[in-house]
Amino acid sequence: MVDPTIRQRVEELRNTLNEHAYRYYVLDEPVISDAEYDRLYRELEQLEKQYPELISPDSPTQRVGDQPLEGFKQVQHEIPMLSLGNVFDEDELRAWDKRVRDLTGLDVVEYSAEPKLDGLAVSLLYENGRLTRAATRGDGRTGEDVTANVRTIKAIPLRLRTDNPPARLEVRGEVLMPRSGFEAYNAWAREHGEKTFANPRNAAAGSLRQLDPRKTAGRPLTFFAYSMGVAEGVPPFKKHSDVLEWFKTLGIPVNPLDKVVQGYEGMRDYYRWMQSIRDELDYDIDGVVFKVNDLALQEKLGFATKSPRWAIAHKFPAEEATTRVRSIDVQVGRTGSITPVARLEPVTVGGVTITNATLHNEDEVRRKDVRVGDTVVVRRAGDVIPEVVRVVKEKRPPNAQPFQMPQRCPVCDSVLERPEGEAVTRCPAGLSCDAQFKEALKHFVSRKAMDIEGLGEKLIEQLVDAGLLKNPADIYRLRQEQLAGLERMGQKSADNVLRAIEKSKRTTLPRFLYALGIREVGEATANNLAQHFKSLETIQNASLEELQQVPDVGPVVAEHIYHFFRNPKNQRVIEDLLAQGIHWPEIPDDAHRPQPLAGENIVLTGSLQSMSRSQAKAALQSLGAKVTSSVSKNTQRVIAGEKAGSKLVRAEELGVPVVDENWLLDLLDQYGVTPEG
Ligand code: 9MJ
């Protein structure tokens, strides 16, 4: 007989661990550290090892079994898991709402609005509060028994958080792999020679269909519930949104972005909002789902052949499409990198027409074996450059020739180089290659560099082609009549450009450093260099060792910086630029600056009116704050500008204080900080 105090301690540890899992996965408000959780977990593990008779299958320690499965048993769904009908634009959505209104006789229908999670649909059966079976959706009628794998997903409770569980409750939802987990998993898999996954959805599906649950346990899967199937001994609910709230109290995670909206306008706004924050989420969504919120109305509307009449998925425009490769060209980048680009027959992807897609580098073209004439799948997601995903080999025309990397630069005819061990082919000509020179100038004038408004790409190309710009300092020698003589350039625009050029002479050291276009020196590194060395001269004279003292500067970046400043041509250009009157205020020694924000983690979201985000970041850092990109329990404050999205929602959910731009301006005023950078 086990001592009752031990029995009690074991039960107490299980309850505590479950309560912390609930706080973490459902409320997203953990109150203990991971280390503290691990300590409690190990104590439970130790007691269970000592008293094996106390082990129960729903103990938090019992998620992973030790036997691989032979195969997956089939599961018949008692209530079929139907798929959803789709609409693809706002007109179709309006028509769908009209039909619902006609069928129900209502003027305005209330809907539950939910992100459409792009994972794998599963059914979880809880009997008397215990998770007894988990199954995939399969064809909707028959799925596969994946209980052993699903038990390893920590977001899914093994027992419901209630003393009075329903006799039988089937929770339906989506198993997902977060994007961050997907990247990390693929990185690990590449390193260990294991199979990588093409996208988080495949990764989630592959992980659930893994015969060894110990392997599934190592995959970063998570879960959100979105509907109820079998329900016996369940309280009577009037609204779908009430069911979701109830799920949360039971310890079942529900997506935090789910909302109740009114009518077509409510749905339309929700769709637009989701589309705007989609890229910020840590998981893939492929649209939104709307459900009639009133459960009695759902019943009344019933089902069509394949899907419920009370729900609809409004899909985002497809991010992949198929088209044909007309030719493969190479492009010369700012630092001489040669990028093969597929010229395509125009095709709409992600809502826009594309005619080019990157092929990244020589190895990528070879790996994907993309040839002129091929039919290819192209992808355009968010703001990223469209890329060729793969070739539809069945459609390859006979005689299609493999791609050959050219031997010479298409712009300056220099012999191309590809250093041993590197993936990138380069034109070694530097700024004497017109392509690189033009790119360097575009970078020089860009917003985060010298910020010369009106001196755009087309104009730079014209000026270089006309022989008016031979080095960046020539920008400061341009005359009104030279500009006004160019195509599509009147007197007035010429004056505007000249005024912007003049204005850009007053800049900051970080901007100037960034504008120089030193390899691997982005905005952040330029800032760090300036803060560390305080003057251009000290940076120019810094040794390799000294350069490596700067945050984020390793041996490779240090080499690039060191050599850049020792190149006589670069030295002349810098001298010339300074002679043209480019100047910046001295960098104050901030050793004595008060640090009122020391120890604060601050997140910026939305757009600020009075300064750029990078300026705000630098100003906050100068007052001691750490500026981070995502809102968590460790965030002390969120500064929300206009059109703030999911980060604001998250801050509100976590109860993190939210302040506006005026708060920041007042603070900077108080401490005499002027936004720079
Ligand atoms: C997804 N995939 O996110 C449903 N779904 O409801 C949401 N799927 C669904 N709901 C009933 N949020 C059938 C499918």
Side-chain angles (χ1 to χ4, degrees):
M1 219 2 225
V2 179
D3 185 338
T5 57
I6 304 254
R7 194 178 285 277
Q8 207 179 343
R9 177 64 185 155
V10 164
E11 202 39 41
E12 189 179 87
L13 283 167
R14 287 180 188 154
N15 285 335
T16 311
L17 288 166
N18 283 338
E19 199 58 21
H20 288 306
Y22 163 70
R23 294 199 143 267
Y24 186 83
Y25 291 106
V26 181
L27 302 182
D28 211 352
E29 263 170 23
V31 287
I32 58 167
S33 64
D34 290 354
E36 178 68 1
Y37 182 93
D38 289 343
R39 199 188 60 72
L40 296 168
Y41 185 91
R42 278 196 305 272
E43 185 186 342
L44 176 60
E45 223 173 19
Q46 188 57 39
L47 287 173
E48 287 177 343
K49 202 164 144 196
Q50 241 172 316
Y51 307 99
E53 59 270 53
L54 294 185
I55 295 178
S56 83
D58 63 351
S59 173
T61 59
Q62 302 301 303
R63 287 189 175 274
V64 194
D66 46 17
Q67 281 302 315
L69 309 173
E70 298 277 317
F72 297 106
K73 280 192 308 220
Q74 293 207 333
V75 171
Q76 302 296 322
H77 295 296
E78 286 173 50
I79 304 172
M81 292 181 77
L82 295 181
S83 52
L84 297 171
N86 292 316
V87 293
F88 293 93
D89 59 37
E90 293 180 354
D91 287 341
E92 289 179 18
L93 182 64
R94 196 196 308 270
W96 181 77
D97 170 65
K98 175 154 191 328
R99 194 166 130 77
V100 173
R101 284 188 289 117
D102 289 348
L103 290 171
T104 58
L106 290 175
D107 287 339
V108 178
V109 179
E110 180 173 285
Y111 296 104
S112 172
E114 307 165 8
K116 186 168 189 307
L117 309 167
D118 195 11
L120 205 74
V122 296
S123 144
L124 311 175
L125 184 64
Y126 288 90
E127 290 175 306
N128 300 313
R130 316 269 146 154
L131 176 66
T132 52
R133 197 201 64 198
T136 60
R137 176 176 176 277
D139 64 4
R141 294 183 185 278
T142 312
E144 283 177 327
D145 186 328
V146 287
T147 313
N149 288 337
V150 163
R151 285 176 59 90
T152 69
I153 302 174
K154 296 204 187 74
I156 296 180
L158 297 178
R159 67 161 104 145
L160 297 177
R161 189 179 162 277
T162 170
D163 293 332
N164 184 22
R168 297 179 81 230
L169 170 66
E170 184 194 1
V171 175
R172 294 175 173 183
E174 207 86 354
V175 167
L176 301 169
M177 189 177 286
R179 288 177 185 161
S180 51
F182 164 74
E183 299 294 344
Y185 177 77
N186 267 357
W188 176 89
R190 267 192 291 275
E191 213 160 280
H192 291 79
E194 301 261 342
K195 182 174 159 275
T196 57
F197 290 105
N199 55 52
R201 198 197 118 78
N202 288 358
S207 302
L208 267 196
R209 296 204 70 264
Q210 169 59 248
L211 283 170
D212 186 350
R214 289 169 300 193
K215 286 201 172 156
T216 311
R219 309 279 172 88
L221 297 174
T222 191
F223 174 82
F224 290 116
Y226 50 65
S227 79
M228 180 160 67
V230 174
E232 293 171 20
V234 166
F237 289 107
K238 288 204 161 50
K239 294 185 172 190
H240 172 72
S241 52
D242 295 338
V243 176
L244 298 181
E245 286 304 316
W246 179 59
F247 279 174
K248 288 195 244 177
T249 67
L250 296 177
I252 300 164
V254 170
N255 192 284
L257 300 169
D258 289 357
K259 284 217 183 315
V260 172
V261 302
Q262 307 296 329
Y264 164 71
E265 278 83 14
M267 292 195 284
R268 179 201 59 199
D269 293 350
Y270 184 84
Y271 174 84
R272 292 183 185 176
W273 177 53
M274 274 304 129
Q275 209 171 22
S276 75
I277 65 168
R278 168 185 201 185
D279 295 338
E280 292 172 39
L281 302 178
D282 192 29
Y283 44 84
D284 285 353
I285 61 176
D286 58 350
V288 296
V289 178
F290 300 113
K291 299 170 184 169
V292 172
N293 200 24
D294 184 320
L295 294 172
L297 283 183
Q298 283 193 4
E299 187 120 8
K300 184 168 165 191
L301 286 161
F303 296 84
T305 13
K306 283 204 318 230
S307 44
R309 283 198 196 88
W310 44 264
I312 197 79
H314 187 178
K315 298 282 274 288
F316 293 140
E319 292 186 322
E320 288 190 358
T322 320
T323 186
R324 216 180 54 87
V325 177
R326 285 179 170 165
S327 62
I328 300 177
D329 292 348
V330 298
Q331 259 172 7
V332 189
R334 174 162 66 82
T335 55
S337 56
I338 303 289
T339 308
V341 178
R343 309 287 178 200
L344 308 167
E345 283 177 1
V347 62
T348 327
V349 199
V352 302
T353 305
I354 66 166
T355 49
N356 302 312
T358 181
L359 291 160
H360 300 291
N361 58 49
E362 187 177 11
D363 291 349
E364 279 291 294
V365 190
R366 193 152 303 148
R367 194 173 65 75
K368 292 174 183 161
D369 189 16
V370 182
R371 306 184 185 190
V372 175
D374 269 343
T375 297
V376 290
V377 175
V378 289
R379 179 176 173 81
R380 177 188 166 276
D383 295 335
V384 298
I385 305 168
E387 64 169 355
V388 171
V389 182
R390 64 188 163 84
V391 173
V392 184
K393 288 269 164 64
E394 302 75 37
K395 296 200 176 165
R396 170 165 289 168
N399 314 324
Q401 295 301 307
F403 170 76
Q404 286 288 333
M405 198 65 164
Q407 304 279 310
R408 288 173 175 275
C409 174
V411 176
C412 74
D413 208 38
S414 300
V415 175
L416 298 179
E417 294 173 355
R418 182 172 166 192
E420 185 77 25
E422 280 189 30
V424 179
T425 306
R426 283 181 196 281
C427 164
L431 296 185
S432 35
C433 168
D434 258 7
Q436 288 174 68
F437 181 53
K438 284 175 181 170
E439 290 307 313
L441 285 176
K442 288 177 198 169
H443 173 77
F444 185 82
V445 304
S446 65
R447 205 169 47 79
K448 290 177 176 171
M450 300 306 287
D451 192 20
I452 307 183
E453 225 183 304
L455 193 47
E457 298 197 1
K458 286 266 149 22
L459 187 51
I460 284 182
E461 286 181 14
Q462 287 184 63
L463 287 165
V464 173
D465 293 341
L468 291 171
L469 294 182
K470 298 213 181 300
N471 93 51
D474 288 342
I475 293 174
Y476 295 92
R477 284 186 276 268
L478 284 171
R479 292 189 311 273
Q480 216 256 10
E481 62 273 21
Q482 292 175 319
L483 281 169
L486 296 169
E487 217 179 295
R488 279 183 302 169
M489 216 356 115
Q491 295 254 338
K492 203 149 159 221
S493 342
D495 284 340
N496 286 341
V497 172
L498 286 175
R499 208 164 310 123
I501 292 174
E502 191 56 33
K503 191 170 143 218
S504 77
K505 287 182 182 172
R506 184 187 142 73
T507 183
T508 67
L509 179 55
R511 277 180 178 275
F512 183 73
L513 284 171
Y514 175 66
L516 292 176
I518 307 166
R519 255 177 87 185
E520 310 274 351
V521 176
E523 219 190 336
T525 308
N527 223 337
N528 291 343
L529 282 168
Q531 292 304 332
H532 185 87
F533 291 107
K534 309 286 179 200
S535 80
L536 177 62
E537 207 184 339
T538 351
I539 301 172
Q540 284 176 303
N541 295 327
S543 67
L544 282 170
E545 291 73 30
E546 286 166 339
L547 286 165
Q548 287 184 59
Q549 304 296 311
V550 177
D552 297 334
V553 175
V556 177
V557 182
E559 286 270 350
H560 289 322
I561 301 168
Y562 185 83
H563 289 298
F564 182 91
F565 288 115
R566 270 148 202 81
N567 174 329
K569 206 164 153 184
N570 292 338
Q571 288 170 350
R572 275 198 300 278
V573 170
I574 292 173
E575 243 172 71
D576 198 356
L577 284 168
L578 298 179
Q580 295 307 313
I582 290 181
H583 65 284
W584 51 83
E586 230 174 85
I587 298 195
D589 192 349
D590 50 20
H592 305 295
R593 195 192 276 291
Q595 304 276 290
L597 301 178
E600 272 205 32
N601 291 309
I602 294 186
V603 173
L604 285 162
T605 180
S607 53
L608 303 173
Q609 303 304 299
S610 52
M611 67 189 96
S612 69
R613 226 195 259 219
S614 49
Q615 285 177 317
K617 184 172 170 183
L620 287 163
Q621 284 168 337
S622 77
L623 294 176
K626 205 170 148 202
V627 180
T628 55
S629 55
S630 64
V631 181
S632 75
K633 64 170 189 342
N634 296 322
T635 309
Q636 273 75 33
R637 212 183 289 278
V638 170
I639 302 179
E642 293 201 352
K643 297 219 184 90
S646 64
K647 290 182 195 172
L648 181 56
V649 176
R650 215 157 135 66
E652 282 162 1
E653 280 164 7
L654 292 177
V656 174
V658 177
V659 293
D660 62 8
E661 188 168 351
N662 288 328
W663 177 89
L664 176 61
L665 289 173
D666 287 347
L667 190 80
L668 299 187
D669 227 22
Q670 191 183 337
Y671 289 95
V673 178
T674 29
E676 285 171 9

